[in-house]
Structures are given as structure tokens and as C-alpha cells.
Amino acid sequence: MRPPGVRRRLRLWPRSLAGRLVLLLVATLALAQALMLALVRSEQDMVVEGLVRGQALTQAVTLARLLDTYPAADSERLAAAFRTREICAWVADTPPPARTMTAAETGLADILRRMLHGVRAGAPAVAIAPPGSLGRGSCSDADATWLPRQPDDRPEGRLSGFGRRRLAAADIVVPLSGGRTLTLRTAVAFPPGWNRLIFLSFLVSSLAVALVTVIGVRVQTRALRALADASERFGRGESVAPLPVAGPAEVAAVTRAFNTMQNRLSQFIGDRLKLLAGIGHDLRTPLTTLRLKAEFIDDPAVRDDIVATIGEMTAICEATLAFTRAEAAAEATGPVDLTALAREIVEDYRLAGAAVSLAPGPAVAVTGRPVALRRAVRNLIDNAVRYGRQADVTVTALPGGGAVLAVEDEGPGVPADRVEEAFKPFVRLEASRSTETGGIGLGLAITRGIVQAHGGVLTLKNRPQGGLRAEIRLPR
């Protein structure tokens, strides 16, 4: 047995096909979104993209051209003119320490080299690092205030609009003539790996995928719902027209198989009922002939015994014919007031002088075939009156839907080991085997078949105070 916590987690797994597909697609979408962010949100790539789209490279080329044109004495003045809160530029007589560039930095350096055509300079270099790790170079403290701080400590207006975006610093190094080196440092801001815009995008995508999935699944499984409904009605004994073959290939194959199965079963049941009806009908003629011949027997005891046996056989044939006619009759299914139906049956028995009562109660509606249900209830009341002298009928509604009709008597009951045997055709638990006291053994078999055809259950229970309780439980 699973622990309680495991059972609670398993209940989160939807039962419907649409719910499971939506859950799987949303999980797949979340995984794809995370992988995409992991691939796209590379800081190096984003810094490179920011530098390429920004003005840092252009400003570095422009300043390098000016420094290459003007005298060396104007270098500091020209570099100071390019300094802003986001850019710090200076000219040094010695190059910065050499370092190995990454692939992204090498790509930026190649772009910068092509932009510097015509400038008498060496190979440029680019260095990208977290803020503060590149040092302050030759900028004064006043000009170095652009260096990023924590969001709560950032001065008002500095890198405004970035909010809590991440920052990176990039040094663009351009060797100039005369051994001088130009360094232009800039700050590049890029959004964090997960923000409200990304969450909103994921939410909208998930809702769109879920909506399309639910609509698609419902359209594709419409044929399955029709098949389930037809199977339920066919199981209750209703006549179901062949279903249209539609939907996906798998659903169409199941529908086609259901139509074939229904046709074969209906034909098989019809042939069986015709066979039983034919046998019962054909036996009536020889039985009538035997009865007429038995009347000519001189010995009264032998004659009465033979006539009684022939009468019992005739009763069995008549019951068989009635059973097959009831099974073969096609009756429409509809709403049935079970309380009103039981009241009418009880009134008929009262008029005939039988001790039958109905407990008062509200109307209880079920779906079924009225004539068949009437016959089932009559059979139970007949058994109660025959063996238990009286019948007390109650009709109650179940909390979750459905109904219970119970018939109680004060008879001897049924042995516990023979309850199931009582439902078999032509089985009589009464020891005398007389049709006058024990019937022919088809009543409970017919009743159980009718109840099961309605999707219900028929049970027999011995009452503690004596007697038998026959109970019909019908679904909603």
C-alpha cells in the first residue's frame, strides 16, 4: 500500500485524456522554455550583442581616428570629451597586460579591426568581465562613477531603465601609433535570465497550447464518447443503430468493430429466442394431444397423475414462450417514476385481496423500460406473497443518484448456500416441486435479467427477524 502522501500526489494526475495531454504539453513547454533560456541567455553572447547593437564600437573607432589625426598632446583632452556616465576612455603610453580572448571577444575584435581600416594601429583587443574586475585604469575617481553598483545603491538616473538587469563591463583596447594605447570601457546591461516578460510569455504559450489541446482532443474523442454511450445502452438491452465510422483511424477501427459485434450479438440472441419460441410453440400441440388421450385412461389415479404432469409441462412451455416474447420485445427506454410504478402494482394486488403494502415516500425517477420493470417488481411480489404470506414494498433514492426498491416478506427465507442457485432458470427451492406451491423456477431468472439489462443489481438477503428481503438497485 502506498503512503498517504504518495496517494495525494498521484491524484494530481488527471483521469481524462485531454487533461493528461495538457499536463504533458505544459511540462514539455516549460522544459523547452528552460532549455531555450539556457542556450540564449549566455552572458557573453548577450554582451557581444549589446556591444554590436550599441555605439561602443563606433565611438572607439571615432576616438581612435581622432587620436591618430591630432597631436599626442591632445590625447587626454580628446579622451575626456568621450567620457560619460556609461563610458570611460583614456590613453596610456604602455599597453595593458596581455590576456587570452574568448571566442566572443575574438569575434568582436575582428569586427573592430575591420572598422578601423585606414587607422595606423595594431590588432585591437576586447575584454569582457563582471563589473569592477577590470580595474579603473587611468580614469579619475570622478569619471569612474559609471562603474555599476548594486541596484539599491545605484545613483538616481545612472543606467536608468535597467532596473534589476544584470551588468557587464567591456574594455575595447586599440593600439595607436607611437606606442600609445586607447582603452574605452563601457557598461552593457542585459535582462536577467527570468523576468515578468518571460513568465508572461510562458503563461500565454501554455494557455494557448492547453486551449488548442483541449479543443483538439474533444473533437477527436467525440466518436469515443458516442461509442461509450452506445455500449452502455446496448449493454442495457436497448436497440442501438449502427454508429457512423468517424474520427482518427484507431477510433474508426474500434467503431467498426463495435458495429460488427453488435450485429453478430443481436443476430445470435434473436436466433436463440426464435429457437426457444419455436420449441415452446411446437410442444403445445403434442401436449394437448397427450392430455386428450390421458382422459381415456380408466384408472383415475393414473389418469390424474398423467394429467398433472402434462399440465406442469404445459405451464413450463407457456412460461418459456412468455420469457422469449418479453426478451424479444423492443421497448423504448425513458424516465420512469419508480414510486408511482410500485404504487400501481401494489393497488392491483390489494384489489385481488393480497397482503401487499407500500411505504410512503417521494417520487424517485430512474431511466428504464416501464413494462420490463413492472414485470420484475411483480415477480418479486408474487414470490413474497406465495412464500411469505405478505409483501412490504419500499422505494428509496440513493444519495449519489439511483434508486433501491425492496420487497420484504415473513416467509422461511432462502438457505444461505443456495442464494445464487435461486437465480438459475427452472430451479425451484421448494421441496414439493409442485407448480401450485413452487412455480416453475423462471421468476427470479427473468427478474435478474431485467435488472441487469438496466445496469442494476438484484440481491436476496435473509432478514434477522425472519423472512426474505429482495432488493433491486438501479443506477442513476
Side-chain angles (χ1 to χ4, degrees):
M1 181 178 292
R2 300 187 185 95
V6 175
R7 288 200 297 269
R8 284 195 295 269
R9 287 195 294 271
L10 291 178
R11 291 194 192 104
L12 298 177
W13 183 248
R15 292 185 178 181
S16 64
L17 178 61
R20 293 180 179 181
L21 286 178
V22 168
L23 186 60
L24 289 175
L25 286 174
V26 170
T28 304
L29 186 62
L31 180 60
Q33 192 89 355
L35 292 176
M36 183 186 69
L37 288 175
L39 294 174
V40 173
R41 294 298 181 181
S42 172
E43 293 189 6
Q44 288 281 342
D45 294 339
M46 295 187 70
V47 171
V48 169
E49 182 181 359
L51 289 174
V52 172
R53 293 185 179 182
Q55 300 180 357
L57 295 181
T58 304
Q59 290 178 338
V61 172
T62 301
L63 182 56
R65 291 183 184 278
L66 290 175
L67 292 174
D68 190 60
T69 303
Y70 282 81
D74 297 330
S75 298
E76 185 61 30
R77 180 174 59 83
L78 291 173
F82 275 76
R83 292 172 186 169
T84 64
R85 289 184 175 182
E86 287 81 26
I87 294 178
C88 175
W90 67 89
V91 179
D93 294 332
T94 57
R99 60 184 296 273
T100 302
M101 292 187 295
T102 64
E105 294 169 346
T106 302
L108 276 176
D110 291 339
I111 296 175
L112 184 61
R113 179 177 53 78
R114 291 193 295 270
M115 295 174 65
L116 287 170
H117 64 87
V119 178
R120 293 173 295 172
V126 177
I128 301 174
S133 62
L134 296 175
R136 293 194 173 183
S138 299
C139 290
S140 63
D141 291 341
D143 292 329
T145 55
W146 67 273
L147 289 174
R149 305 176 187 178
Q150 296 298 325
D152 296 337
D153 300 332
R154 187 178 302 141
E156 183 67 26
R158 189 155 299 157
L159 297 177
S160 60
F162 290 155
R164 292 186 177 272
R165 296 179 179 181
R166 294 175 295 168
L167 297 169
D171 274 4
I172 300 174
V173 180
V174 180
L176 302 174
S177 59
R180 297 174 300 162
T181 302
L182 167 64
T183 301
L184 187 142
R185 180 174 296 172
T186 182
V188 179
F190 49 92
W194 185 263
N195 56 25
R196 283 179 292 182
L197 183 60
I198 296 176
F199 176 76
L200 181 62
S201 173
F202 171 72
L203 182 62
V204 171
S205 301
S206 300
L207 291 177
V209 169
L211 180 62
V212 173
T213 302
V214 169
I215 294 176
V217 170
R218 290 187 67 86
V219 170
Q220 294 298 320
T221 57
R222 186 178 303 163
L224 281 178
R225 293 194 296 272
L227 179 62
D229 179 66
S231 301
E232 178 68 21
R233 291 188 287 115
F234 183 68
R236 292 197 300 261
E238 298 183 31
S239 178
V240 180
L243 297 177
V245 179
E250 295 81 2
V251 178
V254 174
T255 304
R256 198 176 295 110
F258 172 79
N259 290 335
T260 304
M261 177 200 69
Q262 179 188 209
N263 183 41
R264 291 175 179 174
L265 283 178
S266 299
Q267 185 175 359
F268 171 76
I269 294 174
D271 293 342
R272 187 196 67 172
L273 295 177
K274 289 178 182 178
L275 177 62
L276 290 175
I279 293 175
H281 182 272
D282 293 341
L283 283 177
R284 285 194 297 183
T285 300
L287 287 174
T288 304
T289 304
L290 285 176
R291 185 181 184 90
L292 292 175
K293 291 180 179 181
E295 296 294 337
F296 294 98
I297 298 177
D298 296 332
D299 189 343
V302 175
R303 183 179 64 243
D304 293 342
D305 185 58
I306 293 176
V307 169
T309 303
I310 294 173
E312 184 177 352
M313 294 177 63
T314 303
I316 293 175
C317 291
E318 294 295 337
T320 303
L321 285 174
F323 173 70
T324 55
R325 282 196 297 266
E327 289 290 320
E331 183 184 0
T333 300
V336 178
D337 186 346
L338 198 59
T339 304
L341 183 142
R343 186 180 300 112
E344 294 175 2
I345 298 174
V346 169
E347 288 299 324
D348 293 341
Y349 277 91
R350 283 178 178 174
L351 292 176
V356 181
S357 64
L358 174 66
V364 179
V366 295
T367 301
R369 298 187 294 279
V371 176
L373 288 176
R374 186 183 299 272
R375 184 178 186 187
V377 176
R378 280 186 176 275
N379 287 343
L380 294 182
I381 295 178
D382 280 340
N383 287 342
V385 172
R386 177 177 296 167
Y387 298 110
R389 297 183 300 276
Q390 70 177 48
D392 299 324
V393 184
T394 59
V395 179
T396 55
L398 295 175
V404 175
L405 186 146
V407 179
E408 297 180 341
D409 60 47
E410 297 181 355
V414 176
D417 57 342
R418 302 191 67 186
V419 171
E420 190 63 29
E421 186 181 354
F423 293 111
K424 296 180 180 180
F426 303 107
V427 172
R428 292 178 291 184
L429 303 182
E430 199 268 333
S432 70
R433 309 292 295 173
S434 172
T435 57
E436 296 181 0
T437 58
I440 62 172
L442 275 178
L444 286 178
I446 294 173
T447 302
R448 191 182 204 184
I450 293 173
V451 174
Q452 289 180 343
H454 284 76
V457 179
L458 173 62
T459 57
L460 300 178
K461 299 178 182 178
N462 291 312
R463 302 169 63 194
Q465 65 272 31
L468 185 70
R469 175 184 173 91
E471 186 177 278
I472 297 176
R473 284 180 173 265
L474 296 175
R476 180 170 52 186

